[in-house]
């Protein structure tokens, strides 16, 4: 079985890994700083160099590699292998022929996939979604990304845009989101939204250990710190995760009635807090959903962590090239 290269193009780092796409194991991995200010041409050249180097460092030949899958943060033309809009990179990369350029420099066939759909694919094939045919992933971090697997297929929708679960409307009168809509889930349950609830509690002078633990420096309040306070028995910290889990549970309930998933996977940095966030999601689902067998839906923490994206992108390359 040939190996594939999976890549995660991030705003800060570009990670690449040689992946055994049969079992999802990483054989070798490397990362370089993105330095996106140098522009697409320079970055694509450095990415191509990274891919060739990782093959060499793994003691392999180019012929042993089936191709490259790149997880890209933004909108893509999947058929042309072009980027359309990458909001986090300078210049936003309109109509940049990323796949063809990598192929030109490396000789390796290359496909693109949205970065969070890559994570979804990785978790479904080799992580918490393994063995079932319908899965929802919520990646809870700075924002909330996601993806869907429906009836044994990674769901793409128009140009791979299906699965943006962080932008489901939770409150139609809610605050304006970065996407332009009002009341998106992301504004209620992302890492910054959870941290903001902690900051508010401290700023209001409420009696909570979040204050002491952050030494009353609001900038030090993170979801992890709030989780430590909650695990130490702090009621306000526990309530914050109850609320975030409730909102995630509302969004998950809407998806359950729409697609009847077997598993709901919570990933991203914030998912490290575990049951503190997962239990209120489970409870909300049981309270809200009665038109499908909600007791058969499992809510699980992601398993592949930061490797999900490169593993999922490599497997995507293997399945589509
Ligand atoms: Zn939004």
């Amino acid at each position: 079985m040939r190996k594939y290269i999976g890549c995660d193009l991030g705003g800060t780092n570009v990670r690449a890994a040689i992946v055994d796409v049969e079992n999802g194991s990483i054989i070798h991995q490397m990362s370089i700083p993105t330095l996106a200010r140098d522009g697409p041409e320079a970055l694509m050249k450095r990415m191509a160099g990274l891919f060739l180097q990782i093959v060499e460092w793994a003691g392999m030949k180019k012929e042993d590699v089936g191709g490259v899958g790149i997880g890209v943060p933004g909108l893509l033309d999947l058929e042309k292998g072009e980027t359309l809009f990458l909001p986090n990179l300078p210049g936003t990369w309109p109509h940049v022929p990323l796949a063809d350029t990598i192929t030109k420099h490396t000789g390796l066939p290359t496909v693109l996939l949205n970065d969070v759909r890559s994570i979804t694919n990785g978790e479904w094939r080799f992580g918490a979604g393994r063995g079932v045919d319908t899965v929802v992933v919520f990646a809870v971090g700075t924002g909330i990304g996601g993806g869907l697997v429906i009836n044994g297929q990674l769901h793409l929708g128009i140009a791979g845009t299906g699965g943006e679960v962080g932008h489901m409307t939770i409150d139609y009168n809610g605050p304006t989101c970065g996407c332009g809509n009002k009341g998106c889930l992301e504004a209620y349950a992302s890492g910054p939204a959870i941290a903001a609830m902690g900051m508010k509690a401290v700023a209001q002078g409420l009696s909570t250990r979040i204050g002491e633990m952050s030494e009353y420096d609001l900038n030090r309040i993170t979801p992890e710190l709030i989780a430590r306070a909650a695990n130490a028995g702090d009621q306000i910290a526990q309530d914050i995760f109850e609320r975030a889990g409730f909102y995630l549970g509302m969004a998950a309930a809407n998806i359950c009635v729409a697609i009847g998933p077997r598993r709901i996977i919570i990933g991203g940095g914030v998912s490290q807090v575990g049951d503190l966030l997962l239990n209120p999601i489970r409870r909300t689902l049981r309270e809200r959903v009665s038109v499908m067998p909600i007791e058969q839906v499992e809510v699980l923490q992601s398993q592949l962590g930061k490797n999900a994206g490169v593993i999922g992108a490599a497997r995507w390359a293997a399945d589509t090239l």
Side-chain angles (χ1 to χ4, degrees), residues 131-181:
V132 297
D133 70 350
T134 301
V135 171
V136 186
V137 173
F138 288 88
V140 186
T142 310
I144 298 181
L148 305 171
V149 174
I150 301 176
N151 295 341
Q153 277 203 316
L154 181 68
H155 175 71
L156 295 175
I158 299 173
T161 53
E164 287 294 341
V165 296
H167 299 279
M168 299 180 73
T169 305
I170 289 299
D171 176 355
Y172 55 78
N173 283 322
T176 302
C177 176
C179 76
N181 182 36

Side-chain angles (χ1 to χ4, degrees), residues 4-280:
Y4 285 77
I5 294 174
C7 173
D8 180 32
L9 170 54
T12 313
N13 290 300
V14 180
R15 295 180 60 217
I18 296 184
V19 177
D20 180 331
V21 294
E22 290 290 282
N23 61 18
S25 64
I26 289 180
I27 291 158
H28 197 77
Q29 65 174 315
M30 289 173 69
S31 89
I32 57 172
T34 307
L35 307 175
R37 280 205 190 112
D38 298 345
E41 281 305 324
L43 176 51
M44 290 189 291
K45 234 181 199 164
R46 291 170 54 245
M47 287 170 73
L50 172 68
F51 301 152
L52 292 175
Q53 200 172 53
I54 194 172
V55 172
E56 197 186 313
W57 284 20
M60 293 168 62
K61 293 200 181 75
K62 224 163 67 177
E63 296 69 45
D64 303 328
V65 176
V68 182
I70 306 176
V72 183
L75 284 178
L76 305 168
D77 184 326
L78 294 176
E79 304 214 324
K80 289 187 185 158
E82 288 182 359
T83 59
L84 295 178
F85 178 64
L86 311 187
N88 300 325
L89 296 189
T92 72
W93 292 46
H95 296 287
V96 174
L98 175 56
D100 281 354
T101 307
I102 296 298
T103 301
K104 192 179 84 190
H105 288 310
T106 63
L108 294 168
T110 301
V111 286
L112 311 183
L113 185 65
N114 171 277
D115 58 349
V116 199
R117 251 62 84 200
S118 300
I119 290 172
T120 301
N121 200 42
E123 286 291 340
W124 171 45
R125 295 290 193 181
F126 303 111
R130 203 167 186 168
V132 297
D133 70 350
T134 301
V135 171
V136 186
V137 173
F138 288 88
V140 186
T142 310
I144 298 181
L148 305 171
V149 174
I150 301 176
N151 295 341
Q153 277 203 316
L154 181 68
H155 175 71
L156 295 175
I158 299 173
T161 53
E164 287 294 341
V165 296
H167 299 279
M168 299 180 73
T169 305
I170 289 299
D171 176 355
Y172 55 78
N173 283 322
T176 302
C177 176
C179 76
N181 182 36
K182 283 182 179 168
C184 289
L185 173 65
E186 190 169 286
Y188 293 87
S190 63
I194 292 169
M197 287 192 259
M199 292 174 195
K200 196 173 163 197
V202 172
Q204 284 175 335
L206 301 181
S207 166
T208 165
R209 296 180 74 155
I210 300 168
E212 306 145 38
M213 291 171 83
S214 65
E215 293 169 348
Y216 298 92
D217 176 354
L218 297 187
N219 293 319
R220 291 174 68 172
I221 298 174
T222 61
E224 297 74 48
L225 184 142
I226 299 171
R228 270 190 280 130
N231 288 327
D234 186 82
Q235 186 63 47
I236 286 172
Q238 288 169 1
D239 287 348
I240 288 171
F241 280 105
E242 281 290 322
R243 230 180 308 158
F246 168 73
Y247 290 124
L248 278 162
M250 290 294 290
N254 288 333
I255 298 177
C256 281
V257 298
I259 69 164
R262 292 273 172 192
R263 284 192 198 140
I264 294 168
I265 299 169
I266 311 298
V270 177
S271 70
Q272 299 300 317
V273 307
D275 284 343
L276 216 45
L277 188 64
L278 267 53
N279 280 338

